[in-house]
Amino acid sequence: MLELIVYGVVLGSIIALGSIGLTLIWGITDLFNCAHGDQITVGAYIALLFVSLFSRIGFLQAKVGPFSFNWGVLLAFIPAIIISVGLAIFIEHWVYKPLRNTGAHFITSFIASVGVAWVLRGLIYMIWGAEFHFYTSGLRPMIFLPQGIKLRVDEIFIVIVAWAAVAAVYLFMSKAKMGKALRALADNPELARISGINTQRMIDWAWGLAGTLIAIAGVLYGIETQLRPEMGWIFLLPLFAAIILGGKGSITGALAGGLILGIAQQVSTAWLSPTYKPAVAFIIMILFLLFRPKGIFGKG
Amino acid sequence: MNTAAIAGILNFLVSFAIMASIYAIFTMGLNVHWGYTGLLNFGIAGFFALGAYTSALVTSPMPTGMMANYVKQAFGLNLPFLVGVAAAALISGLIALPVGLLTLRLNEGYLAIATLGIAESIRIFFNNESWLANGPQGLIGIPQPLCTLVPPGYYNYIYLVIVLIFLAAIYVALERGIRSPWGRVLRAIREDEVMSGANGKNVFFFKLQSLILGAMIMGIAGALYAHFSAAIQPGVFEPLFGTFIIWAMLTLGGTGNNKGAILGAFIVWALWSWSTFFILKIVPAGFQTRAPFIRYILIGLLLVVVVLKRPKGIIGEERHVSKF
Amino acid sequence: MSILKVEKVVSGYEHMQILHQISLEVQEGQIVSLLGPNGAGKTTLLRVIFGILPLRQGKVYFKGEDISDIPPERMPRLGMCYVPQEENVFPSLTIQENLEMGAFILKAGCKPRMEEIYKLFPDLSNRRKSRAGELSGGMRQMLAIGRALMLNPQMLLLDEPSSGLSPLLVDIIFERIKKLNEAGVTIFLVEQNAQALQCADRAYILEGGEMKAEGSAREILKDEEIGRLYLGR
């Protein structure tokens, strides 16, 4: 059982990392971004592009400490983040901003984000094909903990980065002036404007933040599993479930939601076939919707 | 052009028209939910899957002999096609009842996500429970109605007629329904839930009726799909794809308009099935395996452009100005 | 000198025209009150002045400058702040954070100014870490005014600050408004409550989107016909 809980924490941390950017945008712009998963995929593939470019640089080929990936992968985070941020702001300006300015129903923006998702996935398929890719080849080192718990060393890295990202975004939102303005915008966009806050610039900043988190999630997800064009899309449903559990716009809620889902999914395998894991996540989500529709930390 | 080439093109067009018509029925089912009542159902692939599996199990015989080793199914009633389609509608509607009782009180966005979760759970259930309908391998050899009338090469013509009859009947029934007092109540619910509640109409009960009716239509579409393809597996009913392509069809054609639903289904399905055909002719040989994926880009772009430039869809809603 | 001047403004929503050729003027240093019944178009006029709602005809001048096309987020920089009637605080932010948002455009810190606001509204000072959403109506109204005062504006637009408050709190609010005015803030006070006339210098009466009367607050207060027709007396 302890073993399953540890695996659940790993899975939950990955879900949490993927869902912070999603809940942030949901809280601030009301958009339930269906392209979020495919933006994660783009982040992962952009890093792949740079990893292969860096493969000619000898000293970047050394593995980072005990992990499976090399310094090239670590360095590739930077261009992945830059391009992911640029892409997010580009989509905002060409799709969501015009829709918001015409006062479109939130479902219209949601449908538009489905279109964006397909375009991004189509591009990934066209450029990289349907086959699987890996950042680095070779064995993935394992670590053996007491109680027969086996973890990949990479997973420890992922858990640390996920929690650090949650903590950093949480601190930013509660302490930094910009973070407070983003929360103000989520609360009441018109009052934010009246107070002199340039709301469009704030929304661009929010996409910048989301784009950064998306790229980090994408590369880490790529390290954890492998790169394939559907990776982000398939990942999307648990992310939706996590942010609904956590409550609209809540960073700590996304972490709590991710952990609950991760642990519940893994623990359920003690009784159910592992293929039922996603269904367990949905049933928890639906129960939450019925009994606590504002989420764990949702505002009353 | 020789006759073989013409026959090939005709065959392609006929099977295109069959699939597009099935999707058109599916889209009209969604139009009942979203277009007429404002229910955000993202679990429509689940009802389609239920219909397909129900009709397959009801009409096919229990596997015997060698087949019994490979195909497991809970039952096989070997009943006529029409009984299968009716059962499909019935089961989809029956499942919609508890789904509605559970979720229709949620606000609209959460309803969307809850139904999405339910649809995915249905798919996972069929995938896992091999005793029910052979798990991930799915069912094959689903009987096709009237298949002894003509040689197999011409069968699609017969099936096209069957599908068109269903399409026409459902279209006429829905157009009548929506112009009836009942249909007006549904539209009132969509336009202003609070007002129609104050008018003493039982909003929840009407929403439930709409959910069940739409689900039954989707079940029929699923049944027609099962008998056309003669083989179904859970993988076909991925909610994220099966659901959103239907949403794209309705959004493109025109929400709240059955003609729009049909038009949208034909346009999207044409783009989806024909783009591969044409693109393969123009791209270099080394690129052939990736070319089909350009259809994702085409449909995605079309959807974004329509939402931005023609938010009410290509046709738009008839008579009534929609607030969405 | 007039600090705010509205000239023959026409505006409304979609298919409905709400304001018909509205003109008014506010002199620097005064309290000018705009009175009228529900649905007269008072809030609409405020939203037009502040640039939230576009005007179809006419002009709005602030300190002699044409501000007809200036978006609301630039108004605080020009020296004008606005307190809406409803949803005028950020509910999930604390009192302290709400005030900080009032001074968002300042690069420098806003701590000294915040202390001044706390001095003006001591009740707020005791609950700096409380979320605005948990506050009572009166506290919320004071916080809303406090937020708008963070930039030390020359002019303040107030939309029915007394609405929903107990008579005792109404007195306190009007007394604070008077105090603010004495400190040099020009105030445009939109009210349904005729009590506003007691602290105002001038007043306008708006009904059905048309200006029905204007004059010194004392004249309007004395005019029995106006009282009967528009102020429900």
Side-chain angles (χ1 to χ4, degrees):
Chain A
M1 185 53 80
L2 182 66
E3 188 186 359
L4 291 177
I5 292 174
V6 171
Y7 297 154
V9 170
V10 173
L11 178 62
S13 303
I14 296 171
I15 294 174
L17 179 64
S19 55
I20 322 170
L22 189 62
T23 199
L24 207 62
I25 291 298
W26 183 28
I28 291 166
T29 69
D30 264 351
L31 169 72
F32 215 81
N33 181 17
C34 229
H36 185 86
D38 292 281
Q39 286 175 266
I40 286 177
T41 316
V42 170
Y45 273 87
I46 296 294
L48 178 69
L49 177 73
F50 282 88
V51 166
S52 54
L53 287 180
F54 294 153
S55 67
R56 289 168 201 179
I57 306 169
F59 66 89
L60 288 178
Q61 301 317 303
K63 298 268 182 206
V64 181
F67 302 114
S68 79
F69 47 87
N70 60 33
W71 287 96
V73 176
L74 221 49
L75 196 61
F77 269 99
I78 296 166
I81 288 172
I82 292 170
I83 291 172
S84 170
V85 167
L87 177 71
I89 293 176
F90 176 85
I91 299 169
E92 156 67 17
H93 274 252
W94 286 94
V95 183
Y96 306 130
K97 179 178 152 188
L99 282 173
R100 214 172 27 248
N101 290 345
T102 54
H105 192 256
F106 79 88
I107 197 64
T108 312
S109 307
F110 181 84
I111 301 275
S113 77
V114 173
V116 171
W118 284 340
V119 173
L120 294 179
R121 195 155 354 120
L123 287 171
I124 301 265
Y125 269 121
M126 298 290 286
I127 300 169
W128 283 281
E131 56 274 24
F132 287 16
H133 293 278
F134 297 89
Y135 289 131
T136 43
S137 52
L139 283 174
R140 299 180 176 203
M142 303 284 281
I143 183 166
F144 297 89
L145 301 172
Q147 309 269 343
I149 299 170
K150 294 177 299 224
L151 283 180
R152 269 190 240 141
V153 189
D154 292 350
E155 285 173 335
I156 292 170
F157 179 75
I158 290 168
V159 171
I160 292 170
V161 174
W163 285 70
V166 171
V169 176
Y170 180 77
L171 282 176
F172 175 78
M173 294 298 279
S174 53
K175 301 286 178 221
K177 189 173 161 188
M178 192 75 88
K180 291 174 191 170
L182 286 173
R183 279 160 54 217
L185 180 58
D187 261 13
N188 188 337
E190 187 167 294
L191 190 63
R193 278 189 90 188
I194 289 170
S195 305
I197 297 171
N198 183 334
T199 48
Q200 185 56 49
R201 192 177 303 159
M202 284 297 128
I203 291 172
D204 289 347
W205 274 99
W207 278 108
L209 193 55
T212 307
L213 293 162
I214 282 169
I216 295 173
V219 182
L220 289 179
Y221 193 39
I223 291 172
E224 162 75 7
T225 57
Q226 67 286 99
L227 283 79
R228 58 213 151 102
E230 307 267 337
M231 63 190 272
W233 182 246
I234 293 165
F235 195 28
L236 197 57
L237 280 178
L239 300 189
F240 280 171
I243 66 172
I244 282 175
L245 250 63
K248 185 178 183 182
S250 171
I251 307 299
T252 43
L255 177 65
L259 288 174
I260 289 174
L261 290 178
I263 293 169
Q265 287 189 37
Q266 297 292 14
V267 169
S268 76
T269 58
W271 302 279
L272 288 170
S273 146
T275 42
Y276 269 119
K277 281 199 290 193
V280 169
F282 300 132
I283 288 166
I284 293 174
M285 176 186 81
I286 291 164
L287 289 177
F288 252 84
L289 281 174
L290 294 176
F291 296 109
R292 215 184 140 73
K294 296 275 182 186
I296 309 169
F297 297 113
K299 307 154 201 160
Chain B
M1 236 191 287
N2 57 31
T3 47
I6 293 170
I9 291 173
L10 267 178
N11 242 328
F12 176 76
L13 283 177
V14 168
S15 67
F16 160 77
I18 292 172
M19 269 319 289
S21 303
I22 291 171
Y23 280 127
I25 295 172
F26 195 173
T27 310
M28 282 197 287
L30 176 62
N31 197 28
V32 171
H33 290 167
W34 171 239
Y36 291 145
T37 328
L39 303 179
L40 273 177
N41 185 352
F42 280 133
I44 55 178
F47 295 117
F48 188 78
L50 279 172
Y53 271 103
T54 304
S55 194
L57 289 172
V58 165
T59 56
S60 56
M62 207 54 190
T64 49
M66 275 284 283
M67 283 297 281
N69 296 327
Y70 298 103
V71 178
K72 289 195 190 74
Q73 58 187 71
F75 55 89
L77 303 179
N78 204 11
L79 290 168
F81 165 74
L82 284 177
V83 178
V85 177
L90 192 70
I91 296 291
S92 289
L94 271 179
I95 300 288
L97 180 69
V99 169
L101 289 175
L102 271 175
T103 61
L104 279 178
R105 288 185 204 280
L106 295 172
N107 93 13
E108 48 182 3
Y110 291 144
L111 172 71
I113 302 301
T115 47
L116 186 59
I118 290 168
E120 181 67 357
S121 302
I122 290 175
R123 187 184 69 83
I124 294 168
F125 184 75
F126 277 111
N127 209 23
N128 281 306
E129 303 304 317
S130 298
W131 56 269
L132 177 65
N134 211 27
Q137 286 81 39
L139 300 172
I140 50 165
I142 300 163
Q144 299 194 301
L146 307 178
C147 61
T148 48
L149 281 184
V150 290
Y154 295 97
Y155 178 70
N156 281 355
Y157 293 92
I158 302 240
Y159 202 74
L160 178 61
V161 173
I162 295 174
V163 170
L164 286 177
I165 291 170
F166 273 99
L167 178 67
I170 290 169
Y171 174 80
V172 171
L174 282 179
E175 286 293 305
R176 287 233 176 127
I178 206 61
R179 284 179 173 77
S180 71
W182 181 80
R184 280 197 289 278
V185 175
L186 289 191
R187 277 204 307 265
I189 289 172
R190 186 197 63 182
E191 293 301 329
D192 196 336
E193 204 171 290
V194 184
M195 271 266 275
S196 46
N199 287 347
K201 309 285 184 194
N202 190 334
V203 172
F204 180 81
F205 190 55
F206 275 97
K207 280 184 173 177
L208 192 59
Q209 289 176 13
S210 160
L211 187 76
I212 292 172
L213 175 68
M216 290 174 81
I217 295 171
M218 292 168 190
I220 293 174
L224 292 173
Y225 169 79
H227 292 282
F228 173 56
S229 66
I232 49 174
Q233 325 94 34
V236 179
F237 307 109
E238 285 257 351
L240 282 175
F241 183 76
T243 292
F244 288 132
I245 198 156
I246 301 302
W247 270 89
M249 288 169 176
L250 184 61
T251 308
L252 283 175
T255 303
N257 186 331
N258 285 320
K259 289 193 198 76
I262 297 171
L263 179 74
F266 273 78
I267 291 177
V268 171
W269 193 245
L271 263 180
W272 189 258
S273 53
W274 295 356
S275 54
T276 320
F277 196 68
F278 291 113
I279 291 156
L280 284 179
K281 293 203 186 310
I282 51 171
V283 295
F287 215 57
Q288 298 263 330
T289 53
R290 291 177 190 184
F293 296 110
I294 206 166
R295 56 196 182 177
Y296 278 110
I297 303 177
L298 287 176
I299 292 186
L301 275 179
L302 182 66
L303 192 57
V304 172
V305 169
V306 166
V307 161
L308 280 170
K309 301 291 174 199
R310 276 192 79 89
K312 291 195 194 304
I314 295 168
I315 298 189
E317 193 184 354
E318 288 175 299
R319 295 184 301 135
H320 285 265
V321 181
S322 165
K323 80 170 173 182
F324 300 123
Chain C
M1 184 201 132
S2 83
I3 185 167
L4 178 73
K5 194 169 169 195
V6 175
E7 240 178 44
K8 293 186 180 152
V9 159
V10 174
S11 184
Y13 300 91
E14 271 181 74
H15 308 293
M16 199 164 43
Q17 186 177 325
I18 292 180
L19 300 175
H20 314 282
Q21 303 273 350
I22 299 293
S23 297
L24 63 84
E25 239 179 290
V26 177
Q27 301 296 321
E28 190 160 5
Q30 287 192 331
I31 298 182
V32 173
S33 181
L34 177 74
L35 289 152
N38 247 339
K42 303 187 298 289
T43 299
T44 309
L45 179 58
L46 281 180
R47 290 166 63 87
V48 168
I49 294 173
F50 212 71
I52 301 166
L53 192 67
L55 34 70
R56 294 180 189 165
Q57 286 170 36
K59 292 268 183 228
V60 180
Y61 298 94
F62 181 60
K63 295 190 283 186
E65 197 186 327
D66 184 356
I67 56 161
S68 312
D69 297 322
I70 296 201
E73 59 265 32
R74 283 184 47 203
M75 294 298 177
R77 234 175 256 281
L78 299 176
M80 178 156 62
C81 288
Y82 170 34
V83 183
Q85 182 187 348
E86 281 163 346
E87 299 187 355
N88 50 18
V89 295
F90 300 109
S92 73
L93 271 58
T94 64
I95 288 185
Q96 181 109 1
E97 287 169 338
N98 264 277
L99 294 179
E100 277 176 57
M101 286 303 108
F104 179 79
I105 60 170
L106 291 186
K107 290 265 180 294
C110 57
K111 284 272 157 7
R113 180 65 185 160
M114 201 179 287
E115 291 309 318
E116 286 174 41
I117 303 287
Y118 283 137
K119 228 172 267 166
L120 195 63
F121 300 113
D123 297 347
L124 295 181
S125 169
N126 305 327
R127 299 184 58 184
R128 298 178 186 205
K129 300 275 175 209
S130 302
R131 287 188 194 283
E134 299 158 1
L135 299 178
S136 66
M139 289 276 278
R140 204 181 290 206
Q141 202 55 256
M142 293 187 194
L143 177 59
I145 297 175
R147 179 198 54 77
L149 287 174
M150 280 300 288
L151 292 172
N152 208 353
Q154 284 164 281
M155 177 155 192
L156 198 58
L157 310 182
L158 294 172
D159 193 355
E160 302 203 29
S162 77
S163 80
L165 300 187
S166 69
L168 183 67
L169 275 169
V170 172
D171 289 343
I172 293 175
I173 284 277
F174 282 136
E175 174 240 328
R176 296 280 156 81
I177 290 170
K178 189 108 185 127
K179 227 175 175 179
L180 277 175
N181 179 245
E182 280 157 12
V185 186
T186 308
I187 288 169
F188 186 53
L189 176 62
V190 167
E191 265 299 343
Q192 263 191 76
N193 187 340
Q195 206 180 331
L197 287 169
Q198 275 149 11
C199 64
D201 297 298
R202 286 183 65 75
Y204 288 84
I205 307 285
L206 186 72
E207 202 221 3
E210 285 172 35
M211 216 51 111
K212 297 292 186 187
E214 67 166 290
S216 77
R218 197 167 304 165
E219 283 164 19
I220 300 264
L221 198 56
K222 270 196 273 181
D223 191 317
E224 284 185 6
E225 201 188 333
I226 289 177
R228 187 167 46 79
L229 280 175
Y230 306 113
L231 305 176
R233 271 187 295 189

